[in-house]
Amino acid sequence: MQKKVDFLVIGSGLAGLSYALKVADYGKVCILTKTNIEETNTRYAQGGIASVTYEPDSYEKHIKDTLVAGAGLCDEEIVKIVVREAPSRIQELIDIGAEFDKKNNGEYDLAKEGGHSEHRILHHKDNTGNEIERVLIECVKKHKNIEILEYHFAIDIITQHHLGYTVIKHQPDIICFGVYALNMQTNNIETILAKITYMATGGIGNVYHITTNPTIATGDGIAMAHRARAIIENMEFVQFHPTSLYNPNERPSFLITEAMRGFGGILKTIDGHEFMHKYDKRGSLAPRDIVARAIDNEMKIRGEDFVYLDVTHCNSNELIAHFPNIYEKCLSLDIDITKQYIPVVPAAHYTCGGIKVDNNGKTTINNLFAGGECACTGLHGANRLASNSLLEAVVFAHRSAELSTNIFKEINYNEKIPDWNDEGTSLPEEMILITQEFKELQQIMTNYVGIVRSNLRIKRAFDRLELLFKETEMLFDCSTVSVKICELRNAISIGYVILKTAKRRRESRGLHYNIDFPKQLIT
Ligand code: FAD
Ligand code: SIN
């Protein structure tokens, strides 16, 4: 039996849940999520959400900081839209119950992060994402028009391709009719038809070996859109967070929020020397790409596995009050951050690129919208400013919802969609092949297409990935569908698109640093 809904939302993070809530008063909504509803990148967000709140901050300053971080590749119109619409969208989160920390005088306690010229980050201690996710989940669970399907893995977007037509890349009349999804509890593949599909599948962190992203972040939505021939943009700009906790056996890597550097934290080498001023006059609070590269460089020239973040000079009580989760986490590893330095390493954190969308979140495929981390709106350009991604997710969810609710009544279901074709797929998956290929992919991407790249490394990675791609496609074609093989296939596609865009960019810019197109590392 085929399910039919007005709005199909793939993903239960900030983008997916915000959109679902906004369209639910107009029609039937179904939210798919591949594990439980809570497990999202959103839930792990620590630092907060950027917005202009009080003077002397201004829209102009937030716009300028975003443009500077984006290294000349932001879409200025989009930056203006997001910055100016921020206060209204954040007020809506507050209205449904999200709590952001306040000072004794009742004003919001705004934090500062790298690249921001003012204090403008609204936060809930050091677990802002969890607080936002909490209120949104409460609301979607109460809404009678919203059905939540947990443990449902979206495999592919349904387009004319599934009706037997050849669909060519970037063809303007491709239509999305819904998705095929694996019900992980029954192992059946279900066909879900929708008037509008909203892709909100989040990030790609697990394409790399060390990442702050939970294991759900395998780039599924971007890979599905790529297979369906949507335009994918800016994938060479992978953001590495400078400071994840150095704890080699832990996956995902636990984040040490940038807000700690905003609070006074200083990066130091293992022998206790501050080094950031060698690289940038803003020191430890320089934009993320500069700090991550500087740490990478220090580790390489010194042959060391981590650097330290020193917050021992900060007021202990205030430190613990602001960062209770980080304090507890470090203490569980016998590190008392009020007295000891925190060992940190950079980790893959965020993709600035994704499915190209317009200023209402519409992709290049008809009836397919995308939002949150899997979308490329033009806000981040070559490097995202800290705490601008939660903001982007909520601003664009609103814009997409407004357009979707205006147009969905004009869209008809396609009654001719066949069920998933599993002809010739009888082999049970070979787990050893899948896990080994995933590890290989992560090694290749980390070693050759990480923080620092070169033409030779990119070429080598390309050659290696081509082989992995062919082997995985062969395995996929003869195996019964499983989450693991789909994730591997998707992650390899993401690696391929990152490499393709990295190869095409004949310069170093923002997060894409290629030593064959040098720019001054030490300013
Ligand atoms: P997510 O929240 O990642 O949700 C993705 C959803 O899609 C999940 O429900 C997942 O299960 C589902 N999904 C994925 N694939 C499939 C599939 N095939 N089928 C079905 N469902 C699928 N940004 C900030 O602005 N401020 C911060 O302070 C901040 N801190 C961060 C800290 C950490 C540790 C991390 C990892 C990120 C942080 N970010 C921060 C980035 C920000 O959290 C994310 O960019 C944002 O939450 C992404 O939201 P989203 O809704 O796009 O995706
Ligand atoms: C952090 O808290 O450092 C992460 C903020 C972000 O990724 O925007």
Side-chain angles (χ1 to χ4, degrees):
M1 235 246 318
Q2 300 188 337
K3 184 188 271 301
K4 286 181 187 158
V5 293
D6 295 308
F7 307 100
L8 172 64
V9 178
I10 310 175
S12 59
L14 175 56
L17 297 186
S18 309
Y19 175 85
L21 268 183
K22 291 195 173 232
V23 294
D25 289 341
Y26 298 82
K28 200 165 166 233
V29 182
C30 174
I31 302 175
L32 295 189
T33 184
K34 75 187 202 186
T35 64
N36 58 53
I37 191 168
E38 289 91 8
E39 189 57 353
T40 58
N41 273 15
T42 299
R43 172 191 176 191
Y44 293 88
Q46 292 187 357
I49 182 161
S51 175
V52 173
T53 306
Y54 306 121
E55 282 179 342
D57 200 3
S58 65
Y59 291 151
E60 287 65 37
K61 288 183 187 170
H62 190 181
I63 290 166
K64 184 168 171 227
D65 293 346
T66 304
L67 293 172
V68 169
L73 286 193
C74 299
D75 179 331
E76 196 165 338
E77 275 319 298
I78 296 292
V79 176
K80 286 180 182 162
I81 287 174
V82 173
V83 166
R84 289 180 182 148
E85 293 181 9
S88 309
R89 298 292 81 78
I90 287 170
Q91 188 56 47
E92 286 169 358
L93 290 174
I94 295 169
D95 291 344
I96 59 168
E99 287 183 8
F100 298 110
D101 291 354
K102 288 186 173 169
K103 297 193 281 201
N104 291 339
N105 66 4
E107 284 189 354
Y108 283 107
D109 176 27
L110 304 174
K112 192 170 179 185
E113 293 179 356
H116 288 273
S117 57
E118 292 290 345
H119 283 72
R120 67 165 72 96
I121 321 290
L122 289 141
H123 61 98
H124 179 93
K125 308 219 177 299
D126 54 358
N127 60 1
T128 310
N130 195 49
E131 171 64 8
I132 295 175
E133 190 72 9
R134 176 188 70 77
V135 294
L136 287 169
I137 291 174
E138 265 175 37
C139 293
V140 294
K141 282 192 170 165
K142 278 191 212 143
H143 204 296
K144 64 177 180 12
N145 275 355
I146 301 180
E147 178 185 22
I148 301 159
L149 298 180
E150 295 183 309
Y151 299 96
H152 274 67
F153 184 94
I155 303 168
D156 261 324
I157 298 165
I158 305 170
T159 66
Q160 292 96 321
H161 166 79
H162 299 95
L163 293 166
Y165 297 103
T166 304
V167 176
I168 53 169
K169 205 172 162 188
H170 308 170
Q171 189 178 318
D173 57 354
I174 308 173
I175 302 170
C176 172
F177 302 114
V179 296
Y180 291 118
L182 174 67
N183 177 335
M184 293 156 70
Q185 277 140 348
T186 62
N187 265 334
N188 289 331
I189 296 175
E190 298 170 2
T191 307
I192 307 177
L193 301 182
K195 293 185 175 171
I196 289 182
T197 302
Y198 188 73
M199 192 63 82
T201 47
I204 60 129
N206 288 283
V207 168
Y208 287 86
H209 181 53
I210 302 177
T211 178
T212 60
N213 292 191
T215 52
I216 51 119
T218 47
D220 299 344
I222 303 174
M224 280 186 261
H226 182 245
R227 277 195 293 278
R229 309 284 191 244
I231 298 183
I232 311 294
E233 271 190 344
N234 285 8
M235 291 295 288
E236 67 273 43
F237 301 117
V238 178
Q239 185 166 69
F240 286 78
H241 196 291
T243 55
S244 80
L245 183 63
Y246 175 71
N247 186 18
N249 294 324
E250 185 174 357
R251 279 186 71 85
S253 295
F254 182 82
L255 185 76
I256 304 294
T257 177
E258 193 156 309
M260 262 199 162
R261 277 175 281 133
F263 197 74
I266 294 169
L267 288 162
K268 293 186 171 169
T269 50
I270 290 185
D271 57 4
H273 292 106
E274 193 275 341
F275 57 86
M276 268 314 300
H277 279 102
K278 276 197 304 188
Y279 297 90
D280 193 286
K281 60 180 183 309
R282 289 161 289 188
S284 294
L285 262 188
R288 253 175 221 186
D289 57 326
I290 296 171
V291 182
R293 269 200 304 278
I295 295 176
D296 186 69
N297 196 44
E298 286 296 321
M299 285 176 8
K300 283 193 174 126
I301 53 180
R302 303 170 66 88
E304 289 167 350
D305 290 337
F306 57 86
V307 296
Y308 279 124
L309 180 67
D310 173 14
V311 286
T312 57
H313 52 282
C314 301
N315 177 296
S316 303
N317 292 335
E318 286 178 15
L319 190 66
I320 297 169
H322 271 83
F323 306 105
N325 292 299
I326 294 177
Y327 174 72
E328 286 301 330
K329 171 71 187 181
C330 291
L331 211 53
S332 76
L333 299 170
D334 293 327
I335 303 164
D336 178 349
I337 64 171
T338 64
K339 300 191 182 73
Q340 291 162 283
Y341 295 174
I342 310 168
V344 291
V345 280
H349 182 63
Y350 184 84
T351 171
C352 292
I355 310 165
K356 179 183 165 65
V357 295
D358 69 10
N359 57 10
N360 289 312
K362 241 166 101 4
T363 71
T364 51
I365 294 184
N366 294 292
N367 308 340
L368 177 69
F369 287 70
E373 192 166 338
C374 72
C376 182
T377 63
L379 174 70
H380 309 305
N383 184 20
R384 174 181 67 104
L385 187 66
S387 289
N388 262 359
S389 50
L390 292 176
L391 178 60
E392 179 192 43
V394 81
V395 166
F396 270 84
H398 176 83
R399 298 189 135 249
S400 295
E402 285 207 321
L403 180 59
S404 305
T405 49
N406 279 333
I407 61 170
F408 82 103
K409 288 205 173 121
E410 314 294 319
I411 301 168
N412 295 315
Y413 298 110
N414 188 313
E415 305 289 347
K416 295 188 190 137
I417 300 298
D419 282 336
W420 176 259
N421 180 1
D422 59 0
E423 222 179 271
T425 60
S426 58
L427 278 183
E429 74 204 26
E430 278 246 47
M431 270 319 276
I432 182 64
L433 297 183
I434 295 172
T435 48
Q436 179 56 28
E437 299 227 325
F438 220 118
K439 279 187 199 151
E440 277 180 45
L441 168 73
Q442 290 172 335
Q443 292 296 345
I444 292 168
M445 295 303 290
T446 304
N447 293 332
Y448 298 146
V449 215
I451 298 173
V452 177
R453 302 162 179 183
S454 75
N455 289 344
L456 187 60
R457 289 180 208 175
I458 291 171
K459 175 166 182 342
R460 186 151 296 181
F462 215 87
D463 295 344
R464 300 282 192 278
L465 220 63
E466 210 155 43
L467 187 63
L468 282 187
F469 175 77
K470 282 187 189 141
E471 287 171 355
T472 307
E473 285 302 304
M474 269 165 57
L475 191 62
F476 184 84
D477 285 343
C478 64
S479 303
T480 43
V481 169
S482 71
V483 169
K484 288 288 165 221
I485 194 156
C486 289
E487 287 183 337
L488 172 66
R489 186 178 181 230
N490 290 337
I492 289 177
S493 298
I494 297 297
Y496 170 75
V497 184
I498 292 173
L499 279 164
K500 220 170 81 175
T501 47
K503 202 170 162 186
R504 217 185 288 141
R505 185 161 292 285
R506 314 284 298 162
E507 62 175 350
S508 284
R509 188 191 282 265
L511 297 163
H512 174 72
Y513 183 76
N514 180 335
I515 52 176
D516 291 314
F517 302 101
K519 82 180 168 184
Q520 279 291 94
L521 184 60
I522 300 182
T523 51

